Amino acid sequence: MSDDLPAFDLEHYVPYQFSIISAQLSANLATMYQDRFGISVAEWRILVNLAYSDSRSVRDIQRRVRLDKAKVSRAVAQLENRGFLTKEIDGDDRRLLHLELTASGRDLVAQLVPLAEEFQSTVAAKLNGEFAALQTNLTQLMKELSDG
């Protein structure tokens, strides 16, 4: 460490902590669904967003899941090839692709959700009864940050 730098506690810097925790949570969950279902992180995010949000276009999902366009496009193509979703060009704006889960895609999501809920329960247990408060605070923070 250099003496000419200001004091800084990286280990307690909240954006750094969020980054590390997010990456680790994502990797741990990904190991579970990749092993069982052979899907990537991007594919997981697309599937659950199609199932549980109003996002229906590649553009909407890209913004919502914070992945670059190329990664989302590759994941959509992979999911379409495997029969989990269909895509259709928007009649008004040919640059937009609308996505929809197929019956196989809905079946896959129905298998993924219990796995995700089990994973969340494991995480919650590590927080010694503070999970509900954390969830409330994170929801508020997400809202505050997205409004800005």
Side-chain angles (χ1 to χ4, degrees), residues 84-101:
F84 295 131
L85 62 78
T86 59
K87 59 184 180 186
E88 183 179 308
I89 296 173
D90 184 279
D92 296 326
D93 184 348
R94 299 191 53 76
R95 296 171 298 170
L96 284 180
L97 286 176
H98 290 282
L99 308 175
E100 183 145 342
L101 291 175

Side-chain angles (χ1 to χ4, degrees), residues 1 5 17 22 28 35 41-42 55 58-59 78 88 93 96 99 103 105-106 108 120 123 127 131-132 145:
M1 185 180 312
L5 294 175
Q17 290 176 317
S22 173
N28 290 357
D35 289 348
V41 172
S55 298
V58 169
R59 185 184 306 162
Q78 193 69 353
E88 183 179 308
D93 184 348
L96 284 180
L99 308 175
R106 286 188 298 279
L108 178 58
Q120 180 162 293
V123 171
L127 294 170
F131 184 70
L145 292 174

Side-chain angles (χ1 to χ4, degrees), residues 21-130:
I21 291 167
S22 173
Q24 193 61 59
L25 287 172
S26 185
N28 290 357
L29 178 59
T31 297
M32 296 169 70
Y33 58 70
Q34 285 171 338
D35 289 348
R36 287 182 61 184
F37 303 104
I39 62 170
S40 69
V41 172
E43 291 167 342
W44 151 260
R45 290 179 184 176
I46 290 165
L47 288 167
V48 296
N49 272 276
L50 283 174
Y52 297 104
S53 77
D54 292 334
S55 298
R56 292 287 177 259
S57 73
V58 169
R59 185 184 306 162
D60 290 344
I61 289 175
Q62 174 193 344
R63 287 181 188 140
R64 187 170 170 85
V65 300
R66 307 276 195 233
L67 290 173
D68 67 74
K69 185 178 180 179
K71 190 171 275 194
V72 172
S73 294
R74 282 191 301 273
V76 164
Q78 193 69 353
L79 290 167
E80 182 183 34
N81 289 341
R82 292 180 64 193
F84 295 131
L85 62 78
T86 59
K87 59 184 180 186
E88 183 179 308
I89 296 173
D90 184 279
D92 296 326
D93 184 348
R94 299 191 53 76
R95 296 171 298 170
L96 284 180
L97 286 176
H98 290 282
L99 308 175
E100 183 145 342
L101 291 175
T102 62
S104 294
R106 286 188 298 279
D107 288 345
L108 178 58
V109 170
Q111 294 175 65
L112 288 166
V113 167
L115 187 68
E117 289 176 333
E118 176 186 331
F119 181 76
Q120 180 162 293
S121 293
T122 301
V123 171
K126 295 177 186 305
L127 294 170
N128 302 320
E130 298 295 324

